[in-house]
Amino acid sequence: PLAIGLGQAFRSRTDKALDQPAEFQAGVELILAVLRESRDQVVITTTGSCRDVAAAFNREPELLRKKVKAVSLSLLA
């Protein structure tokens, strides 16, 4: 699966990014859907921004605590 992610910086550490345009919500929605549907824990790998993972956590922290085994970050220089 592939989705367009959030495009704007957060206003605070607890920002759920719900005010960002609908066309940029697919990344967060995909993360949450995969976690809800998975029987097993999931490893999330990101390239570039981690906004979608952070927003998913801010929206459903218990789901991420339960279902995320690890987060691998590949930040671009």
Side-chain angles (χ1 to χ4, degrees):
L2 179 68
I4 296 174
L6 299 169
Q8 299 172 3
F10 286 177
R11 295 183 196 173
S12 71
R13 291 176 58 164
T14 59
D15 191 353
K16 296 179 181 181
L18 294 169
D19 60 337
Q20 293 198 29
E23 62 266 24
F24 299 109
Q25 296 291 329
V28 178
E29 293 169 3
L30 177 60
I31 292 168
L32 294 172
V34 167
L35 294 176
R36 285 185 202 114
E37 294 170 11
S38 177
R39 292 183 193 185
D40 301 316
Q41 287 188 310
V42 173
V43 175
I44 297 174
T45 302
T46 67
T47 302
S49 173
C50 307
R51 282 187 198 121
D52 297 285
V53 176
F57 179 82
N58 289 343
R59 292 180 193 185
E60 296 193 36
E62 291 307 314
L63 177 64
L64 272 78
R65 285 186 184 108
K66 179 179 178 185
K67 292 288 187 84
V68 175
K69 182 173 185 174
V71 178
S72 173
L73 308 175
S74 294
L75 303 176
L76 303 174

